[in-house]
Amino acid sequence: MEFVSTRGGGEPVSFTEAFARGLAPDGGLYVPRGLPALPQTILVEDALPYAALAWDFLSLFDGDHDSEHLEEIVDRSYGSFSDTMNAPLQQLDDNLFVLELFHGPSLSFKDFGLQLVGSLFEEQVERTGIPINVLGATSGDTGSAAIHGLAGKKGARVFILYPEGRISDLQERQMTCTGADNIFPIPIQGTFDDAQAIVKELLGDLAFKEKLRLSAVNSINVVRVLAQCVYYIHAFTQLPPDNRDDVNFVVPTGNFGNIFAGWMVHQMGLPVDRFVVATNQNDILHRLFTTGEYKPGEVHPSHAPSMDIQIASNFERFLYYHNDEDAKATLAQMETFRKDGSIRIANFDASNFTATRSTDADILKNIRKVKERYNYIVDPHTACGFQDLDPAATHIVLATAHPAKFPAIIEKAIGETPTDPSLESLKGKKQVRHPVEASAAAVRKFLEENAI
Ligand SMILES: *Cc1c(COP(=O)(O)O)cnc(C)c1O
């Protein structure tokens, strides 16, 4: 399978090359050239073990590793989950289900993408003999998932910037208490956007990037999207046969990566009625799916911080397929977006989607409602998925994080605090942090001194 840029520039590249590059040279995002049809054998009644399904699915795209090698990479990625199903489906009601995506090492769905990314980086270092330095910024979950994907791996160092005091204490501990000496968590005084701007500037300096062999870890790597496709199939195959005719996936959404993965498998043949884009008060995507206009506003911090995003980078991939894989049209739209700060999408077809929006008050109310009705505790991001559901249809709500990661908000909603043994054990551990001044020059110097 070849991968091409959504903006049509550069040559088509292989799976491994698209993975290693992250962003395409013309600034576009890599997408598979022509989506393959899902083999119908994958949709058999009994769910396959997760790693076996992931291997089947990824084999459709990875033409580089031989089959046994890919199997080993996939097994390594999905062996460290605390639940043997990896992504178990819980039934709350006749037609209401929760897909638990928080049994990975950092307790959010981002482990599904970043465990595989970690294994592929490791394989790349082994294959090429060239060590790498991974640089990223996080508002919480991406950083801890990336760190858990690479902690202790030889030939890789990881540098993650985060806004001091603006992520939860447990999220910070997940990054700072790994005990691995190849991990460098970097608190800065500023916002997530400040951290992100520094990372962008450093990765944009191609000479520096090459000199330190920097790799990015962010939501635009196509491998993360492919890895996330797998649990949609896994969820479907866990449904009782009676519920398979009108499936709606409800996805707490920020960067549009998770829900795009689901939509992509649907394009490949997974039977899905609708995708529900569940946003918090930062509702650019809600506005898009109700009006056809894509127009970022200001970011307002919410109870669901990993969805506090105004520019949904993966949306460009959706546009590309919405344009029937016409890269020229996509490039023109992205140009307009850059110039005008917004775009109105002509003939916007949102028929596969509906959108909901949750305020902070809705988040608290939904946590309470789910606890009272089903005796089940959802985290604040997942809580957005319980807004305005049609009780007549079958819904699978994606639970994107473990509630124990956000104890203060859960306590506020229902007066109890969920716990998880892996988080409890962090509380007594030593934290290793590398505070650096919030400027590209200071971070550059730190990288020069500490890169491998
Ligand atoms: C990252 C994240 C989201 C948003 O996912 P996108 O792929 O950016 O849409 C939702 N919930 C949690 C817990 C997250 O960490």
Side-chain angles (χ1 to χ4, degrees):
M1 169 68 68
E2 288 184 325
F3 291 80
V4 292
S5 165
T6 47
R7 301 185 190 178
E11 294 295 309
V13 297
S14 70
F15 174 86
T16 319
E17 188 63 25
F19 165 72
R21 290 190 186 184
L23 201 65
D26 62 351
L29 308 183
Y30 281 115
V31 280
R33 171 139 92 179
L35 291 175
L38 209 58
Q40 289 304 302
T41 48
I42 273 188
L43 300 178
V44 291
E45 258 178 41
D46 291 326
L48 281 173
Y50 196 86
L53 179 64
W55 177 55
D56 267 1
F57 183 80
L58 294 168
S59 300
L60 299 172
F61 298 92
D62 179 358
D64 296 328
H65 300 102
D66 67 40
S67 167
E68 265 173 37
H69 195 180
L70 179 65
E71 187 177 16
E72 189 193 301
I73 292 169
V74 169
D75 282 350
R76 209 184 309 154
S77 308
Y78 296 115
S80 57
F81 282 55
S82 65
D83 189 293
T84 49
M85 290 293 285
N86 287 63
L89 190 70
Q90 304 288 356
Q91 183 159 16
L92 299 188
D93 206 340
D94 283 349
N95 57 2
L96 182 59
F97 300 82
V98 173
L99 182 65
E100 293 183 347
L101 299 176
F102 50 68
H103 297 288
S106 78
L107 310 186
S108 88
F109 82 91
K110 294 199 168 69
D111 288 323
F112 284 90
L114 288 165
Q115 282 292 309
L116 182 65
V117 164
S119 307
L120 285 169
F121 272 138
E122 187 179 32
E123 186 275 337
Q124 178 185 316
V125 171
E126 280 165 9
R127 174 165 41 83
T128 61
I130 303 170
I132 54 166
N133 293 293
V134 173
L135 176 63
T138 189
S139 55
D141 292 331
T142 306
S144 50
I147 282 172
H148 283 83
L150 281 160
K153 299 225 156 140
K154 273 206 265 2
R157 286 197 180 160
V158 186
F159 300 85
I160 301 288
L161 274 63
Y162 63 93
E164 165 121 58
R166 292 180 193 234
I167 67 172
S168 84
D169 176 54
L170 287 170
Q171 284 177 319
E172 182 173 32
R173 286 185 171 276
Q174 282 188 316
M175 297 196 280
T176 57
C177 300
T178 60
D181 60 8
N182 67 330
I183 300 297
F184 297 80
I186 304 178
I188 62 149
Q189 299 296 325
T191 63
F192 168 67
D193 289 333
D194 298 331
Q196 179 79 359
I198 293 172
V199 166
K200 277 206 172 135
E201 183 174 338
L202 295 176
L203 290 170
D205 178 344
L206 296 183
F208 181 67
K209 186 175 172 208
E210 209 154 286
K211 181 171 143 212
L212 292 196
R213 290 165 272 92
L214 289 180
S215 287
V217 58
N218 50 32
S219 65
I220 52 93
N221 200 301
V222 68
V223 165
R224 281 179 71 178
V225 175
L226 296 177
Q228 289 171 2
C229 290
V230 177
Y231 49 70
Y232 285 89
I233 308 169
H234 196 243
F236 184 87
T237 59
Q238 291 179 73
L239 275 175
D242 286 353
N243 290 105
R244 293 186 187 191
D245 294 335
D246 63 341
V247 183
N248 294 262
F249 280 100
V250 187
V251 189
T253 294
N255 238 320
F256 207 69
N258 196 0
I259 197 165
F260 173 74
W263 184 80
M264 208 171 100
V265 214
H266 171 55
Q267 298 304 106
M268 295 172 65
L270 183 72
V272 179
D273 213 37
R274 261 169 196 280
F275 292 92
V276 180
V277 184
T279 69
N280 64 16
Q281 62 191 11
N282 294 296
D283 56 355
I284 174 179
L285 291 170
H286 180 264
R287 277 178 279 134
L288 168 74
F289 284 100
T290 45
T291 68
E293 189 183 30
Y294 182 66
K295 184 170 193 255
E298 242 174 72
V299 178
H300 298 287
S302 80
H303 285 344
S306 298
M307 292 155 56
D308 288 345
I309 277 163
Q310 284 289 352
I311 297 188
S313 27
N314 273 292
F315 184 62
E316 183 169 339
R317 290 194 164 105
F318 174 73
L319 274 182
Y320 173 81
Y321 288 106
H322 187 268
N323 294 330
D324 292 325
E325 309 194 27
D326 180 346
K328 272 210 187 88
T330 313
L331 174 65
Q333 282 166 323
M334 294 317 291
E335 275 293 304
T336 308
F337 180 62
R338 197 178 52 80
K339 268 204 329 271
D340 302 349
S342 69
I343 33 173
R344 181 164 286 285
I345 296 155
N347 305 319
F348 186 53
D349 175 12
S351 56
N352 287 140
F353 294 94
T354 45
T356 63
R357 172 185 192 275
S358 297
T359 62
D360 277 354
D362 293 326
I363 289 176
L364 294 172
K365 188 190 71 196
N366 290 344
I367 295 172
R368 217 172 290 134
K369 180 177 78 184
V370 174
K371 168 71 182 167
E372 279 166 11
R373 281 195 199 157
Y374 311 114
N375 196 26
Y376 187 82
I377 300 179
V378 289
D379 99 287
H381 302 81
T382 308
C384 298
F386 286 86
Q387 187 74 12
D388 303 330
L389 294 185
D390 168 9
T394 295
H395 284 97
I396 298 179
V397 179
L398 271 56
T400 51
H402 195 292
K405 282 187 103 165
F406 305 93
I409 291 162
I410 309 286
E411 160 79 36
K412 193 168 170 190
I414 57 172
E416 56 181 288
T417 38
T419 55
D420 180 85
S422 77
L423 293 176
E424 289 308 300
S425 73
L426 289 177
K427 289 181 180 164
K429 286 193 183 151
K430 183 168 156 262
Q431 293 201 61
V432 176
R433 300 158 21 113
H434 302 272
V436 173
E437 185 200 304
S439 73
V443 176
R444 178 193 295 264
K445 183 158 171 281
F446 182 82
L447 287 173
E448 273 169 347
E449 287 163 4
N450 293 284
I452 192 172

